[in-house]
Amino acid sequence: MGRVRDAVRRFGRSARERWREVVGPWAAGTVTMLVLAAVLPDFRLQSADGESATRVAIAAALGAGVFGLLGAVVWPMIVRALLLVPAFVLGLLVFFLNGSLLLIALALIPVGSGAAEPETAVVVAAAMSAASSAAGTFLAVRDDAAYGRRLARLADRKRRRRGEHTGRRSAPGTVFLQLDGVGHDVLRDALRERRGAGGRRKGPLMPTLAGWAATSHRLTPWRTDWSSQTGASQLAILHGSNEDVPAFRWYEKETGEVLVSGRPAGAAELQRRAVARTGDRGLLAADGASRGNLFSGGAEQVALVLSVAARRGRHNRSRSGYFAYFSDPANATRTAVSYVAEVLREIVQSVRARIRRESPRLPRGGLYPFVRAFATVVERDVVVAAVLGDILSGRTAVYADLVGYDEVAHHSGPRGRDTHQVLRDLDRAVALIARVTRHAPRPYRIVLLSDHGQSPGETFAGQYGLTLEELVRQGRGAAGPPAAGRPPVVLASGNLGLVSFPDLPGRASREEIDRRHPALLRVLADHPGIGFLLVRSEEHGPVVLGPGGAEHRLETGEGAGESPLRALGPGAAEAVRRAAGFPHTADIMVNSAYDPATGAVHAFEEQIGSHGGLGGEQGRPFLLWPRELSAPVRDGGELVGAERVHRVLRRWLREATEPQIPVDRIPLDGRADESLPVGDMPAPFAVTGPALRDKTE
């Protein structure tokens, strides 16, 4: 009898919850419709002769009901039909199509004489969607248990449709969240208590992550390769290899083309090469999902992944994340409001920077406010929504990239009011994801990491009045007219420059460059904005050239005592030596000057927060991982290179289903990513932190 009573209670509770889920949004839509009909002259629910208040209320209730029904039945089909439309266009069409559904609803209700002008219908539909969504969210989150049961029902429903097991699994899943461009020191500062005016405590900038770092997680830096940018780091993290990736963009002599990591064709080619080199599909090959990344990691479930941007498929099309998000019109309304607010925020911040004559500073007009808002709002919302869906579906591994900080820091610098707001928003997004994991069909571990940091500094052109390409042109003509032949291809990747001579086959040697352009290398090496050059000598192999005739021969170590690499810290010589062996390393690799006192570098492109080469915080990203996982390296060791990060993440995925090595049994070289001794199975990850129950919408 006890079981029967429990079942009856659960049924009654479930019925009440479902009733509230329907009635709450319907009532909110009805009230919104009545209010707007009273205040908007081009929207009415009654004829010109007037009708009773009762009939108007009934008309509003019926209109809200029909509008909600159309949204539930018709809307997903409309959005799916428009899935191949570019995301920005789809976001705009959402509002007009939603307004059209409202006009249809007004025409279908049998009571009253509802009518609206088309442009007014767009406004009314958006307001009703937002109000209904807010009401549903409010009713759900008032009762945390009800919220959990609602999410569980949604997850079970999805799994039943796929014919999957719906019981709770004990093996934990893993969510990897990449906070693009957030350096270790920037994150560490964001986790500290702050003081306001008069010494008033303000709390950490990122309270959720601060709570984790103090209780459930550990924080450590890791060191990037010479090419400290997303193309190289994320390729290695997801696919295990970034061999022959010298920069974000580079010239390939055999094809005569520039390969760019940030373009679909370039990302697809890099992923193909990495898979061919390793013989492995990637980190996410086993029941994984890739969201907002350059590369898929071998995942079947992808959304907003650049390497498969041209791919079309029912289940893995690259725009599927947009469908999942915009299938709810209320999402478009919330995102649009946030988008406009972000555009206005950027305009205000740009004007403030000009008034205060902040330096360094970049022009931030034109389309940039809209590009920034897309990265910090639209991409963030869609990626987070996709991750929530993966969690509720019980995916084994999810890797998602949140790019907002990196975009803003390029134009505003790595630290300051502009980036602080982005960090707050990222913290709220992480808190929302963590809260939803409590209602997933399996426990989840959340690992946070970055692919690189950012270093501040005036641009090379802003500091010295000429671009790297112009300096190369001067160097070619310094000892007389430049030799005949095609001009060199000069490219930039943050504070890393690449100079290639298309008419010289293979890797041009230092001796050949000196024969053709006798003054070029010295002009470059002695310029105050350049820290060092890497060239290949026919006699000595890879050679680093610095100001005043400094020369460091990497194969023999000769000249290391006066090497310009010394100021760049430990590991710089090894990073440069590794890149020197890449087939597509440029004829001349140019790293900007670096000021150890300020951490400043000089980007060869229009960025006052940059990354791509050596120097400062750009080469120190972070890893924030749950304490029950084995340490990345032995205490006192340093995690070096994105390929090593890949091996660590693979080990952590194995620890979800295999016995775990105790921390003190990790091999001395830190490579605890192969066969591990048997230890205790880690306990399921319980998310903790003071901000988890804060409202995050």
Side-chain angles (χ1 to χ4, degrees), residues 13 17 20-21 136-153 431-432 434-440 687 691-696:
R13 190 165 53 224
E17 290 166 7
R20 286 190 303 178
E21 290 172 11
T137 302
F138 174 75
L139 290 172
V141 300
R142 283 187 64 199
D143 180 356
D144 191 63
Y147 182 57
R149 288 189 293 270
R150 178 171 178 252
L151 292 176
R153 286 201 308 273
L432 174 61
R435 187 173 65 185
V436 170
T437 63
R438 296 183 303 195
H439 311 293
V687 178
L692 285 184
R693 298 188 63 83
D694 291 348
K695 187 175 180 182
T696 57

Side-chain angles (χ1 to χ4, degrees), residues 506-695:
R507 180 91 176 274
S509 69
R510 172 187 183 179
E511 291 80 4
E512 179 64 24
I513 295 171
D514 281 340
R515 281 193 294 270
R516 291 193 172 219
H517 313 290
L520 176 58
L521 294 179
R522 282 274 51 94
V523 167
L524 292 176
D526 288 335
H527 191 279
I530 291 178
F532 69 90
L533 312 178
L534 171 68
V535 293
R536 183 188 65 84
S537 168
E538 296 171 2
E539 181 180 358
H540 304 293
V543 177
V544 169
L545 304 178
E551 184 173 317
H552 180 186
R553 296 170 183 173
L554 295 176
E555 287 188 352
T556 64
E558 185 180 353
E562 301 300 325
S563 173
L565 300 179
R566 293 181 63 193
L568 295 166
E574 181 56 37
V576 173
R577 184 183 296 111
R578 177 176 183 259
F582 292 169
H584 289 108
T585 291
D587 298 332
I588 307 174
M589 298 286 285
V590 185
N591 201 95
S592 87
Y594 163 62
D595 184 349
T598 63
V601 300
H602 301 299
F604 296 116
E605 48 189 334
E606 289 297 293
Q607 298 173 352
I608 60 172
S610 67
H611 55 89
L614 289 172
E617 295 181 15
Q618 63 181 315
R620 277 172 56 88
F622 75 89
L623 191 59
L624 183 70
W625 79 97
R627 291 174 181 264
E628 67 266 25
L629 294 173
S630 58
V633 294
R634 185 74 176 266
D635 288 346
E638 185 179 21
L639 185 59
V640 179
E643 293 181 356
R644 290 279 298 281
V645 175
H646 170 85
R647 296 199 293 269
V648 171
L649 301 191
R650 271 194 182 275
R651 186 215 312 160
W652 287 347
L653 288 179
R654 288 201 300 270
E655 288 176 7
T657 55
E658 298 177 1
Q660 180 186 0
I661 178 175
V663 173
D664 60 1
R665 296 287 301 280
I666 298 174
L668 289 176
D669 64 358
R671 290 182 220 164
D673 41 63
E674 305 301 332
S675 299
L676 303 178
V678 175
D680 295 328
M681 192 69 173
F685 172 45
V687 178
T688 60
L692 285 184
R693 298 188 63 83
D694 291 348
K695 187 175 180 182

Side-chain angles (χ1 to χ4, degrees), residues 400-425:
D401 189 6
L402 300 171
V403 302
Y405 172 88
D406 192 58
E407 177 63 39
V408 174
H410 279 316
H411 293 79
S412 302
R415 285 180 167 84
R417 189 192 303 259
D418 297 17
T419 51
H420 284 177
Q421 182 59 50
V422 182
L423 292 173
R424 291 189 192 96
D425 291 342

Side-chain angles (χ1 to χ4, degrees), residues 144-175:
D144 191 63
Y147 182 57
R149 288 189 293 270
R150 178 171 178 252
L151 292 176
R153 286 201 308 273
L154 291 173
D156 286 346
R157 197 178 305 158
K158 290 181 180 179
R159 291 192 297 277
R160 281 196 297 270
R161 285 201 297 265
R162 295 196 298 265
E164 298 177 357
H165 173 64
T166 58
R168 186 169 178 84
R169 284 164 274 181
S170 59
T174 307
V175 177

Side-chain angles (χ1 to χ4, degrees), residues 49 74 87 181 230 272 318 346 349 353 410 503 563 571 586 686:
D49 298 332
V74 178
T230 305
R272 184 195 66 77
S318 63
E346 161 56 25
Q349 291 173 345
H410 279 316
D503 53 346
S563 173

Side-chain angles (χ1 to χ4, degrees), residues 260-277:
V260 183
S261 305
R263 293 177 182 169
E269 176 62 16
L270 289 182
Q271 181 171 313
R272 184 195 66 77
R273 294 178 185 180
V275 171
R277 186 175 296 113

